[in-house]
Each structure stands twice: as C-alpha cells, then as structure tokens.
Amino acid sequence: MKHFTSVDDIQDLNELIALAKNIKQAPFANKKIGENKILGLLFFNPSLRTRLSTQKAALNLGMDAIVMNLNTEGWALEFEDGVVMDGNKAEHIKEAAQVVSQYCDIIAVRSFPTLTDKEKDEEEQVISAFKKYASVPVISLEGATEHPLQTVADALTIEEYKTVKRPKVVLTWAPHPKALPHAVPNSFIKVMKKADVDFVITHPEGYELNPEFTKGVTIIHNQDEAFADADFIYAKNWSNYMDYGQITCKDPSWTVTADKMKLTNDAKFMHCLPVRRNMIVTDEVLDSEASIVIAEANNRTYAAQAILTKILDHGE
Ligand code: CP
C-alpha cells in the first residue's frame, strides 16, 4: 500500500481486518518497523479520536509523531495553480507538501469539505494536492468525501461483535443541528459493500447520498422497516447531498431510541463519535449494553496501526 486516502486503497478487506486483529492481540510486537521514522499529522479541522489513536498507533510501531494544526498554526495555504498570491495565502501547497516530505516519512492529513462547493469537495482538493506534491505516502485522517481509517475500525468492530455469519447492518440517518459531511457514510458504504453483510441504508426521502456510493445498495425510507431483524445499527447524520450542504430535515422521529432498537435482532449500536446525545441517539441506548461505541473508538488505534504497517512494509 502506498497511499491510504480511500476505502478503494484496501486490496483485501479480510486480510486487513485479520492484520488489525493480530495487532490488537500484540500491539507492541512490531516496534522495529517504525524505528527512526516520523509520522506527520496535519489537521485543518478539529479531532479527538483520529488525532490520539493515530499518534498511539505510530508510537506502538516505534515511530515518532509530529502534530500540527495547520489552520491555526501554519501559513494559510494556496491550492489553486497559476494565481498571483497577493491575498492572505502565504504559501503554495507545491512547496508546503514537498517541505513536509523532508521532515516526515508519512504525511497524514485531515481536511473536511466546504459543503458549499460540491465540485471542489468531490475533487478532494486538499488531500489530492498532498498526494500530488508530497514525495512520501499520504494517509487521509478524513477528507472531503471519505473517512477510511474510521471505516476500517468499523469493519473490525462488526467482525468482533457479529454473532451470525452474515449480519444485517443498517446505516441510518439521524437528526443533527449542524450541517455535517458525507465522508463517514460514504466510506462506511464502500466497506460494507466489500464485507459479507446484508447491508441496508435508511434515511428520510430527499437525503439520498451520492449515487456513486449507494449504487446497488438497498435504501428504505421507513426507518422502522429497515431496523427489523438488524444485527447492527450504525447511526450517522449527514447534510443534504442533493441540496448540497443544507439541512432540510431535523425530524426527531429519526432519533435512535430504545423502542426503535426493540425492532432489531438485539442489535449493537454503533456511531463514529462525537455523538449528540438525544439528537442522534437517546441516553438510554447510548448508555445501554447494546452500545459498542467505545469499543469502536478503541479499534481506531488498531485500524490505524494496520494501515501504517502496510505502508511501512511497502517502503521496505
Ligand atoms: N470519529 C472521528 O473521526 O473522531 P474525531 O473527529 O474526534 O477524530
């Protein structure tokens, strides 16, 4: 594996999940692989889990990690080519990415979408530019359209908690007060398409995601119907994709409640976190035995460690 910026970069999901499971059993077993290597973590947006779990993964592999909040601590970067840089952008990504490559053996970048410029978001302008100009591998810590590290942790968690060979997994939209990106559901859909699961998406009418991701997946607009016999409920809000970046529904009847969970096959409740209590999911569900959100967050470390291992192996 050279770069890891999309679920498409996973060649064999089963093999990757097996690697992550092995790493979880013995997280310090491969400390030599990252010796004298630096992981640079560049954040244009806030983070708790991604920042800490990816640093921990690097440390577990013997790497050192350098973290920088680029939006508050770095020079404002220009991503357009051929512009006269007479505004507030002090440095071009061409130099910045090459310079960071002098200090780091792997560069990891978080850059959320604008949610106003669909074309620019779908080009993954920031992560694509790092891939283009950096001379070292690039990892997405969540881009405009995908959050692949989260999704590897999700697949590992489902593998650990499934009680039947082919579980029913339901991705459900749930209400939220702010406009959120599509990256988590997009990557989750991609990975569920690769997994041996019965996968269903449920959301209010009008909240269709990019059909390039959902093509071939069963979509049900009745949440109760979708929840029937589910083994996993994966809740997530996303803003309207068709009316790009807008909030056109806050219907509280889509909040995941204990009554909704009763429709399932004793399903486990999943969410990538951070989660808005009593908006996305009620306290009762989140505090119940059904909730595996903390185990899911814990798996972020082993997912990241598996990806770093694959990239470091590639460089040998
Ligand atoms: N799930 C996730 O990516 O969490 P953070 O935004 O806190 O990193």
Side-chain angles (χ1 to χ4, degrees):
M1 185 181 282
K2 176 142 197 278
H3 302 294
F4 183 67
T5 58
S6 163
V7 172
D8 297 337
D9 295 322
I10 302 171
Q11 283 187 340
D12 183 336
L13 180 65
N14 290 334
E15 188 253 347
L16 183 65
I17 297 305
L19 175 63
K21 276 171 118 173
N22 284 342
I23 287 170
K24 192 171 179 179
Q25 295 293 316
F28 312 115
N30 209 4
K31 274 225 166 226
K32 286 273 175 216
I33 195 173
E35 206 171 41
N36 301 325
K37 297 215 187 286
I38 305 284
L39 173 66
L41 296 148
L42 308 179
F43 286 89
F44 289 92
N45 310 96
S47 167
L48 173 71
R49 280 142 290 273
T50 307
R51 180 168 173 157
L52 296 182
S53 64
T54 313
Q55 278 190 77
K56 184 177 168 183
L59 297 175
N60 285 354
L61 291 170
M63 299 184 85
D64 278 319
I66 301 174
V67 186
M68 188 165 178
N69 295 313
L70 270 183
N71 56 339
T72 54
E73 296 167 346
W75 300 109
L77 293 180
E78 177 62 67
F79 287 86
E80 303 294 342
D81 284 336
V83 291
V84 177
M85 288 174 59
D86 59 355
N88 64 347
K89 309 275 178 66
E91 178 153 34
H92 201 279
I93 184 62
K94 283 187 185 179
E95 285 76 51
Q98 291 180 73
V99 168
V100 178
S101 303
Q102 309 306 305
Y103 312 138
C104 301
D105 299 279
I106 300 174
I107 301 173
V109 182
R110 166 165 282 198
S111 176
F112 288 173
T114 62
L115 291 181
T116 52
D117 189 333
K118 194 182 213 175
E119 202 176 322
K120 203 164 277 184
D121 290 346
E122 297 200 332
E123 281 170 11
E124 285 284 1
Q125 189 187 48
V126 174
I127 288 180
S128 297
F130 272 97
K131 279 168 78 172
K132 185 170 177 187
Y133 297 116
S135 54
V136 298
V138 174
I139 293 177
S140 168
L141 299 171
E142 186 171 346
T145 62
E146 283 207 51
H147 192 357
L149 277 180
Q150 174 67 50
T151 295
V152 176
D154 297 336
L156 171 60
T157 309
I158 289 172
E159 180 61 27
E160 287 177 335
Y161 280 86
K162 72 180 185 187
T163 55
V164 291
K165 188 174 177 309
R166 187 178 164 80
K168 177 175 175 182
V169 179
V170 179
L171 168 64
T172 182
W173 181 93
H176 196 282
K178 296 182 84 173
L180 295 192
H182 309 97
V184 169
N186 284 347
S187 281
F188 189 70
I189 292 165
K190 274 192 175 177
V191 96
M192 286 300 102
K193 281 181 167 179
K194 287 175 180 269
D196 187 14
V197 297
D198 173 16
F199 183 48
V200 172
I201 303 174
T202 183
H203 58 70
E205 286 196 45
Y207 261 77
E208 281 71 20
L209 288 156
N210 183 343
E212 281 181 27
F213 290 88
T214 57
K215 193 173 171 212
V217 180
T218 303
I219 298 173
I220 300 175
H221 294 124
N222 181 322
Q223 194 188 40
D224 289 0
E225 190 188 319
F227 273 35
D229 300 322
D231 298 295
F232 293 91
I233 299 297
Y234 192 101
K236 186 71 187 84
N237 172 270
W238 58 87
S239 56
N240 198 310
Y241 175 76
M242 303 300 170
D243 192 0
Y244 192 63
Q246 299 303 304
I247 301 173
T248 54
C249 178
K250 288 188 188 171
D251 183 352
S253 74
W254 282 80
T255 299
V256 179
T257 63
D259 279 344
K260 300 242 178 197
M261 292 297 284
K262 281 183 192 145
L263 301 169
T264 70
N265 180 31
D266 266 337
K268 296 297 184 195
F269 175 82
M270 297 179 70
H271 189 280
C272 62
L273 305 180
V275 68
R276 300 257 183 165
R277 284 174 172 258
N278 304 308
M279 284 291 302
I280 297 278
V281 56
T282 61
D283 286 335
E284 196 180 359
V285 174
L286 200 54
D287 295 332
S288 74
E289 292 285 315
S291 173
I292 54 171
V293 297
I294 304 302
E296 186 183 354
N298 182 37
N299 279 340
R300 291 293 308 273
T301 299
Y302 311 110
Q305 214 170 314
I307 295 301
L308 287 171
T309 301
K310 302 274 298 173
I311 290 174
L312 289 167
D313 267 347
H314 179 88
E316 287 299 296

